[in-house]
Amino acid sequence: MGADHLLFTYGSLQDPQVQLDVVGRRLTGSDDVLGGFTVDYVEIVDPRAEAASARTVQPALRETGQHLDNVTGTVLAVDADELDACDEYQAPLYRRVRVTLRSGRHAWAYVAH
């Protein structure tokens, strides 16, 4: 299993139990910063919740373009199948976009629709 992709995480995917549930293993990672973004907290209706009226507050990346805005997170190394599993876990609440981190590394990140 080759970790061909980097995934910038700032929320639930940093949790080892969520990682186990989503990709079947604990992922290795390192700290990094995403510039030009901020984290908003939005109330959403989670279609995965049992109750149709279930609402939850989730962190959501929002691009600001402002150099002083930074989001601290963890960059996880994942393979293509694990990235697909993360996509399924995050959909339809977020969309995956390519970002450049302060370290200069390129990674995927999930932002709100």
Side-chain angles (χ1 to χ4, degrees), residues 34-47:
L34 177 58
F37 283 78
T38 189
V39 175
D40 285 337
Y41 290 87
V42 294
E43 186 176 25
I44 58 170
V45 175
D46 188 341

Side-chain angles (χ1 to χ4, degrees), residues 35-38 62-69 102:
F37 283 78
T38 189
R62 181 177 55 84
E63 187 170 13
T64 66
Q66 300 298 314
H67 181 73
L68 294 177
D69 288 335
R102 290 283 187 224

Side-chain angles (χ1 to χ4, degrees), residues 80-101:
D81 290 338
E82 291 167 338
L83 188 59
D84 287 344
C86 290
D87 285 351
E88 186 175 325
Y89 170 72
Q90 296 290 17
L93 309 175
Y94 303 92
R95 63 186 169 87
R96 180 167 43 99
V97 299
R98 198 84 163 127
V99 296
T100 301
L101 304 171

